[in-house]
Amino acid sequence: MKTRAIIAILAAALVLAGCQKDEFVSRRGMNDSPVRYVVALERPVQSRAETGNGGMMLSLTGNGDSLSMPMEWIATEGIDICPASDGTKGTLVNTTGSDDELSAYAATVGSFIVKAYNGGTENVSQTVVTWSGSEWEAAEEAIWPKGTSLDFLAYANLPGSQTATITKDGVSTVHTVPASAANQKDILFGHYQGNGGGTHTAEIRFEHPLTAVRFKYGEMDGNPTVKSIRLDGVAQTGTAAMAADGTISWSGIGTRNYSVSQSSATGLSVNSTTHLIGEPFIIIPQNLSAHSVKVTITFTDETEVFATLNSGEWEAGYTNTYTLGLSETVDVQLTDRVLSGVKDNVVIRNTGNVKCYIRAALAANWFDDNGIIVAPWSYDASNPAAAGFTSLPSDASGSGARWIYNAGDGFYYFTSPVLPGETTSSALFNSFSSTAASPVEGSHLEMMLMVQGVAYDSSKIKASTAWGAAVTGYLSK
């Protein structure tokens, strides 16, 4: 009987022990579940994106003077170039948030580094989380106590050996922008704050500390092909930081004198659907009102346009799209002054929007008081001083930019092309005061200066077509 009692007690003890173990496992399942990860799409476009919308007349600059060029600027929230697992910029993704798109977005991110804090205490050690094809898997499993709010911080898609630092206050990295658009990457910072709900899931939302700038074709005369795009006056290096709530800030940015570019001898690629040209520039955000950026666009015929972007802001996480609506405009203007019978202050300026060659001709006649021509006027081009000119060139001697006279058509050719907004670097003449006697009593001399321009191209085909092949020998590249 005693033996039976001992066996019964042992059996009861074993049953009790088994119940205690089951209860412990169940309690852990309720309170201390493993952390699960999902990646959220970037937030949809907000109304504040409208701050960058609308048509603009951006100034074409040259030597401090400006003209106008139609170019539409639209800034939308979210950079739609997401990183791919192979380290490239990746593919376009939508932002409607369906399950399929979430999976597609996860696949483009590939992997990220994450860490979590409970207040100021580290709760999840830094680990790599990788997309398996169906879910996110952490290299080191972590436990999330039920009902506990955690701050998750993450980063992804850093170029090369660049690293980021995660602390309880946020994530940061020192970023240097590559000079070539093809090598620029959309770095990502991720964050989540909460208790993970009933599934203990951290929904990591990625933010873009950089800004995107891209160009596309609009309506353009002659459908020119863009050979290169260069941005001058951007920041090269800075420290990007994101707080736990996703707020992005930048510091340590020095002078903005860096240049980024892309080029192709045969022309940059163009998306047949969107008409986007080449690669997007992925660069450090910039307030254009405080630090303007010069854009140089060169076409395959070597025509160049220069735009100064000096209003608005390229914000972190925004895509800034500029639509080119450029019509090639060749225009040259002359200004002068006539005072007490002396013509001076002669200035010839390129007022078009493309680099051009300039030529000028002189014509004069004697007029009576009724405005009727009473006699023509001519001068000896080989001896302009005798006619009353100062510094009027008469031959092809000398070097550098200068005026050369062509007796065949009577025009003076300025040898170097002139940029938009700039003037010829030497005057056609400094002043003129006629030394000739009036051929008819009471008549007076009136002189006209005719100026013409033709768009520059390295082959000088446009000049040859407009002015004749014989004169292109005067023109330098």
Side-chain angles (χ1 to χ4, degrees):
M1 189 66 179
K2 185 176 181 180
T3 302
R4 285 182 179 179
I6 293 172
I7 293 172
I9 291 171
L10 289 173
L14 289 172
V15 170
L16 179 60
C19 290
Q20 287 175 335
K21 183 176 182 181
D22 289 343
E23 184 179 358
F24 175 76
V25 171
S26 177
R27 186 182 300 116
R28 177 172 178 172
M30 292 172 58
N31 296 332
D32 298 321
S33 294
V35 177
R36 294 180 64 250
Y37 296 96
V38 297
V39 171
L41 285 170
E42 52 194 307
R43 62 173 63 98
V45 174
Q46 304 295 320
S47 59
R48 67 187 178 95
E50 296 175 2
T51 59
N53 287 356
M56 298 180 64
M57 295 301 288
L58 300 176
S59 58
L60 284 170
T61 62
N63 198 27
D65 299 299
S66 64
L67 305 169
S68 293
M69 169 178 142
M71 188 185 292
E72 184 184 33
W73 171 47
I74 296 179
T76 54
E77 192 170 16
I79 297 177
D80 58 5
I81 307 295
C82 290
S85 57
D86 63 0
T88 63
K89 289 180 181 177
T91 57
L92 296 173
V93 295
N94 296 320
T95 56
T96 56
S98 69
D99 290 342
D100 288 343
E101 286 168 343
L102 286 169
S103 296
Y105 186 76
T108 63
V109 173
S111 66
F112 57 88
I113 309 295
V114 69
K115 200 173 184 179
Y117 292 87
N118 179 3
T121 305
E122 181 180 305
N123 187 86
V124 176
S125 299
Q126 185 162 306
T127 187
V128 178
V129 181
T130 304
W131 180 246
S132 69
S134 59
E135 62 180 348
W136 290 99
E137 296 181 350
E140 300 291 335
E141 185 179 85
I143 301 301
W144 193 339
K146 183 179 180 181
T148 301
S149 290
L150 299 178
D151 292 340
F152 285 83
L153 294 153
Y155 63 87
N157 205 46
L158 299 186
S161 59
Q162 182 175 326
T163 60
T165 300
I166 299 177
T167 69
K168 63 181 180 61
D169 299 315
V171 55
S172 64
T173 185
V174 176
H175 182 69
T176 299
V177 178
S180 171
N183 298 327
Q184 295 164 2
K185 297 179 67 175
D186 178 21
I187 63 177
L188 298 171
F189 288 160
H191 62 104
Y192 172 79
Q193 292 177 300
N195 59 27
T199 60
H200 298 82
T201 299
E203 186 179 276
I204 307 296
R205 182 183 298 280
F206 280 106
E207 308 289 349
H208 307 268
L210 296 170
T211 190
V213 179
R214 61 187 185 179
F215 295 83
K216 64 183 294 186
Y217 281 111
E219 295 296 326
M220 301 184 71
D221 290 350
N223 298 316
T225 301
V226 172
K227 176 182 178 181
S228 66
I229 303 174
R230 188 178 77 245
L231 307 181
D232 295 311
V234 300
Q236 180 179 15
T237 302
T239 298
M242 182 193 68
D245 64 358
T247 302
I248 299 291
S249 62
W250 282 86
S251 62
I253 297 175
T255 56
R256 292 170 171 82
N257 55 8
Y258 188 55
S259 298
V260 292
S261 63
Q262 54 185 307
S263 64
S264 169
T266 58
L268 295 172
S269 62
V270 179
N271 185 294
S272 60
T273 302
T274 64
H275 308 296
L276 290 170
I277 304 168
E279 298 268 0
F281 293 96
I282 309 293
I283 54 181
I284 292 174
Q286 182 148 335
N287 185 322
L288 299 172
S289 300
H291 304 281
S292 63
V293 171
K294 181 180 179 181
V295 180
T296 302
I297 299 174
T298 304
F299 298 93
T300 50
D301 67 356
E302 301 303 328
T303 299
E304 290 183 321
V305 293
F306 311 87
T308 296
L309 312 182
N310 53 15
S311 63
E313 184 173 0
W314 293 340
E315 297 186 58
Y318 274 70
T319 297
N320 303 276
T321 303
Y322 290 90
T323 301
L324 305 179
L326 172 67
S327 296
E328 181 179 279
T329 301
V330 178
D331 188 26
V332 291
Q333 291 184 2
L334 177 144
T335 58
D336 59 10
R337 180 181 65 177
V338 178
L339 186 64
S340 300
V342 177
K343 181 188 286 288
D344 61 7
N345 285 8
V346 178
V347 175
I348 301 174
R349 184 184 304 278
N350 176 3
T351 54
N353 60 19
V354 293
K355 185 162 59 173
C356 72
Y357 293 111
I358 292 175
R359 70 177 184 175
L362 305 171
N365 288 288
W366 293 96
F367 290 82
D368 64 18
D369 291 339
N370 296 317
I372 298 174
I373 297 175
V374 296
W377 176 86
S378 62
Y379 72 101
D380 182 358
S382 64
N383 188 16
F389 291 101
T390 59
S391 303
L392 183 65
S394 60
D395 56 39
S397 63
S399 60
R402 62 195 189 279
W403 292 93
I404 296 179
Y405 180 69
N406 177 39
D409 57 20
F411 277 93
Y412 290 89
Y413 290 82
F414 190 68
T415 58
S416 296
V418 180
L419 292 173
E422 292 191 1
T423 62
T424 57
S425 58
S426 63
L428 180 60
F429 61 87
N430 290 337
S431 66
F432 169 76
S433 178
S434 176
T435 59
S438 173
V440 177
E441 184 177 355
S443 65
H444 62 278
L445 182 68
E446 292 186 11
M447 176 182 289
M448 293 186 301
L449 295 176
M450 298 180 294
V451 292
Q452 297 176 345
V454 64
Y456 165 87
D457 62 281
S458 60
S459 61
K460 296 184 276 191
I461 292 177
K462 294 178 181 179
S464 176
T465 301
W467 296 339
V471 302
T472 59
Y474 303 144
L475 308 176
S476 62
K477 294 183 179 180

